[in-house]
Amino acid sequence: MRVVGLLSLVLALAVVGWLARRQLAAHRAPAPAAAAAGASARQPSQALQQQYQQALESALQSPTRELPVDAR
């Protein structure tokens, strides 16, 4: 009975190791293509950062509203 448990544990570890190796290999493969697209991927990120910064600055510059008397 212990042998069956040990074999199933070894089999499960082998399957997990195989899946992990396969997953890591999938992430490493597109590296050359990603380097070429790196500059184009940065543009939306920079545009989003600028949009966020402008929204934050406009929110900070807007006049503050006073709380209603009920909320005080």
Side-chain angles (χ1 to χ4, degrees):
M1 204 61 178
R2 288 185 181 182
V3 173
V4 173
L6 184 61
L7 286 176
S8 63
L9 180 63
V10 168
L11 179 65
L13 286 174
V15 168
V16 169
W18 176 72
L19 289 174
R21 177 178 283 172
R22 189 172 158 200
Q23 186 72 21
L24 288 173
H27 283 293
R28 291 182 188 158
S40 64
R42 255 184 239 132
Q43 291 172 347
S45 175
Q46 288 176 347
L48 183 62
Q49 286 177 353
Q50 289 175 352
Q51 182 182 5
Y52 181 78
Q53 185 177 5
Q54 289 171 353
L56 181 63
E57 288 174 355
S58 68
L60 289 174
Q61 292 176 357
S62 67
T64 58
R65 297 183 297 162
E66 289 192 29
L67 290 176
V69 178
D70 297 347
R72 290 185 190 174

